[in-house]
């Protein structure tokens, strides 16, 4: 049984990871981290009895410490506290389920202390893939994908991507599939948060609607499977039943199919190479009837194109794209900008950046800060 830390235990992936553990008892929870949701953190402490819990916000950490004074769980705070959870001595696997580039430093700390990573936090690989993957190799740690598409690719190639000719990365197309640029320019957060197939955190749901999520996943796939961007093809598959496919030299295609339920890839990352039932239902092909495919409309959803541009440039450009996107999405969710401004902000920010090749961690973090400031200026 794995001994795990869950970074972001109160979020969509974090809570589903705990549901998987309730269902199949595949891991023991040693450490948890949250940003500010201490009421849920308290419930998780009482149920799972972790040894250590980190709260990002200092004052919330103090409050939680008082609430759980009758337990033996140690409460720590800030980024340092999250890193303490990620490197905790009794932990062997870290589930990275925080949102945004805030996952980068804790993930690097975990890798440096020899922990395997069950990676949901795609922004970590988008911004820092050029240093994270070599670091994982150097430290002999596994990065097991939790993102459903990357889990599908991993399953379709049996963990060995060296013979893949092409990755066929599927996308639902999001709530605005089939709509045109002018039609969606003024969409509200409420409209964009209505994902047809998946229930996820707000940031990734907005990213799914703009196809930036697919762009981030192209970059994530490029790093995880060492496949060139020109050999990654995005295919719209609106029913979200085929979670991705791989094509070999002989043009044979292998796909992974299942109902759209994140519990399956989470469970696979925790039980690999075994499989355990985790509470998901079977695909009912009679009811489903058909699975359809289409080409993405990058005129309406240019974020996907920007991600291909960013990964082709490489260096600090993907970090800049990601930082600009995080700002644009946060501003949109706050009602401060229009939906159509999201790609505009990303484009303008990327246009003003001169990428640094072979970046250090500091270069990547600096590029992220630069992009956030620039994105605010170009709004
Ligand atoms: P949520 O917004 O639902 O949860 C985020 C979690 O991270 C919460 O526990 C939150 O704590 C914590 N958190 C937020 N900001 C910070 C911060 N700055 N520092 C430390 N902790 C923080 O996100 P999701 O679960 O939807 O997504 C998590 C990651 O997984 C993302 O990278 C996403 O792209 C990826 N992913 C998600 C999928 C999904 O189905 N949800 C599918 C595939 C990938 P608090 O609750 O206290 O605010
Ligand atoms: Mg995904």
């Amino acid at each position: 049984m794995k001994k795990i830390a869950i970074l972001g235990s109160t979020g969509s992936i974090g809570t589903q990871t705990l549901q998987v553990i309730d269902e199949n008892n595949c891991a023991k929870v040693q450490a948890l981290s949250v940003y500010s949701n201490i009421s849920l953190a308290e419930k998780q402490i009482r149920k799972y009895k972790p040894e250590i819990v980190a709260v990002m916000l200092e004052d919330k950490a103090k409050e939680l410490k008082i609430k759980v004074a009758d337990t033996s769980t140690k409460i720590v705070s800030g980024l340092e506290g999250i890193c303490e959870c990620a490197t905790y001595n009794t932990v062997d696997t870290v589930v990275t389920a925080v949102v945004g580039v805030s996952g980068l430093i804790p993930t690097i700390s975990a890798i440096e202390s020899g922990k395997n990573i069950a990676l949901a936090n795609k922004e970590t690989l988008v911004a820092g893939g050029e240093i994270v993957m070599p670091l994982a190799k150097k430290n002999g740690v596994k990065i097991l994908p939790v993102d459903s598409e990357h889990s599908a690719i991993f399953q379709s190639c049996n963990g060995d991507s060296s013979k893949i000719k092409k990755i066929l990365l599927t996308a639902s197309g999001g709530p605005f599939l089939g709509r045109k640029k002018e039609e969606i320019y003024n969409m509200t957060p409420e409209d964009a948060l209505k994902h047809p197939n998946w229930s996820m955190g707000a940031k990734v749901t907005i990213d799914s609607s703009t196809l930036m999520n697919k762009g981030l996943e192209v970059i994530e796939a490029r790093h995880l499977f060492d496949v060139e961007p020109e050999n990654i093809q995005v295919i719209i598959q609106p029913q979200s039943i085929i979670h991705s496919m791989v094509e070999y030299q002989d043009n044979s295609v292998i796909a992974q199919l299942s109902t759209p339920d994140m519990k399956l890839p989470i469970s696979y990352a925790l039980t690999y190479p075994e499989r355990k039932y985790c509470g998901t239902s079977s695909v009912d092909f009679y009811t489903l009837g058909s699975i359809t495919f289409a080409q993405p409309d990058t005129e309406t959803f240019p974020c996907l194109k920007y991600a291909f541009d960013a990964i082709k440039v490489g260096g600090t450009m993907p970090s800049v794209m990601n930082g600009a996107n995080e700002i644009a999405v946060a501003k949109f969710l706050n009602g401060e900008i229009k939906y159509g401004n999201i790609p505009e902000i990303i484009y303008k920010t990327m246009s003003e950046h001169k990428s640094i090749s072979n970046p250090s961690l500091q270069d990547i973090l600096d590029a992220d800060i630069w992009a956030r400031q620039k994105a605010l200026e170009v709004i």
Side-chain angles (χ1 to χ4, degrees):
M1 195 195 280
K2 291 203 166 101
K3 291 184 168 172
I4 65 168
I6 307 174
L7 308 184
S9 66
T10 45
S12 163
I13 294 290
T15 51
Q16 289 183 86
T17 303
L18 292 168
Q19 284 169 25
V20 166
I21 294 168
D22 291 344
E23 183 66 46
N24 65 20
N25 199 28
C26 65
K28 166 85 183 76
V29 178
Q30 305 291 109
L32 301 172
S33 88
V34 309
Y35 183 75
S36 63
N37 187 351
I38 55 167
S39 58
L40 184 51
E42 181 184 354
K43 287 187 189 127
Q44 293 178 344
I45 289 170
R46 298 199 182 280
K47 182 166 177 190
Y48 299 98
K49 303 182 172 42
E51 292 178 21
I52 182 166
V53 171
V55 183
M56 185 66 186
L57 298 186
E58 302 273 345
D59 52 337
K60 292 284 175 189
K62 280 188 192 142
E63 264 183 65
L64 182 62
K65 211 170 193 168
I66 295 164
K67 280 175 187 278
V68 297
D70 60 315
T71 71
S72 58
T73 301
K74 180 181 171 187
I75 307 297
V76 291
S77 65
L79 181 59
E80 212 174 286
I82 297 179
C83 290
E84 194 177 339
C85 291
T87 58
Y88 202 69
N89 60 350
T90 59
V91 165
D92 55 54
T93 302
V94 177
V95 180
T96 63
V98 300
V99 60
V101 80
S102 60
L104 180 59
I105 291 175
T107 306
I108 287 180
S109 308
I111 294 172
E112 282 174 338
S113 59
K115 316 296 186 195
N116 289 321
I117 308 292
L119 184 97
N121 176 233
K122 58 193 86 181
E123 295 92 342
T124 281
L125 275 194
V126 169
E130 289 191 23
I131 56 171
V132 169
M133 295 310 291
L135 194 67
K137 203 171 172 187
K138 185 178 149 209
N139 286 277
V141 309
K142 289 194 197 80
I143 300 196
L144 293 163
V146 167
D147 212 345
S148 57
E149 294 77 3
H150 305 75
S151 177
I153 295 161
F154 187 79
Q155 294 180 58
S156 300
C157 68
N158 243 330
D160 176 11
S161 61
S162 62
K163 296 189 178 69
I164 293 177
K165 185 179 87 179
K166 208 166 157 187
I167 285 174
L168 307 169
L169 191 71
T170 56
S172 69
F176 305 140
L177 178 64
R179 310 283 276 271
K180 288 292 160 208
K181 204 170 189 162
E182 322 66 72
E183 292 175 65
I184 63 173
Y185 198 91
N186 291 313
M187 287 296 175
T188 64
E190 203 192 0
D191 298 324
L193 285 169
K194 277 185 208 136
H195 196 284
N197 305 332
W198 298 97
S199 162
M200 311 181 282
K203 196 260 177 183
V204 59
T205 307
I206 299 301
D207 286 347
S208 295
S209 76
T210 60
L211 286 201
M212 177 50 94
N213 182 50
K214 214 43 57 180
L216 299 176
E217 290 181 354
V218 166
I219 303 177
E220 186 186 8
R222 192 263 174 276
H223 291 301
L224 276 176
F225 303 109
D226 197 18
V227 170
E228 294 300 325
E230 51 274 24
N231 295 327
I232 302 175
Q233 185 181 18
V234 173
I235 300 173
I236 303 292
Q237 197 281 277
Q239 299 80 14
S240 295
I241 294 294
I242 299 179
H243 298 295
S244 278
M245 312 180 256
V246 296
E247 186 177 304
Y248 289 92
Q249 291 305 331
D250 61 355
N251 294 334
S252 179
V253 173
I254 314 255
Q256 186 263 336
L257 286 73
S258 57
T259 48
D261 185 339
M262 285 306 297
K263 290 200 288 301
L264 197 148
I266 293 169
S267 180
Y268 193 64
L270 293 178
T271 60
Y272 172 79
E274 306 299 326
R275 287 180 187 274
K276 271 190 167 185
Y277 174 71
C278 58
T280 60
S281 54
S282 298
V283 180
D284 180 347
F285 287 96
Y286 288 168
T287 308
L288 180 67
S290 61
I291 301 177
T292 55
F293 304 97
Q295 198 174 337
D297 170 5
T298 51
E299 190 57 42
T300 306
F301 304 102
C303 292
L304 178 59
K305 199 162 69 60
Y306 302 156
F308 273 102
D309 294 343
I311 192 65
K312 279 177 194 153
V313 173
T316 48
M317 191 58 96
S319 174
V320 163
M321 180 198 75
N322 181 69
N325 181 55
E326 286 193 28
I327 290 293
V329 171
K331 292 271 163 197
F332 171 66
L333 285 170
N334 270 340
E336 293 172 54
I337 60 166
K338 289 182 191 301
Y339 184 75
N341 294 140
I342 298 174
E344 293 167 354
I345 290 168
I346 298 164
Y347 179 78
K348 285 182 193 163
T349 306
M350 285 174 69
S351 308
E352 293 200 30
H353 181 64
K354 285 197 176 57
S355 178
I356 300 172
S357 315
N358 303 313
S360 64
L361 174 60
Q362 197 53 53
D363 292 333
I364 289 165
L365 296 173
D366 289 348
D368 174 65
I369 292 168
W370 178 89
R372 284 164 194 272
Q373 282 164 353
K374 186 56 71 182
L376 290 173
E377 283 166 33
V378 301
I379 284 175

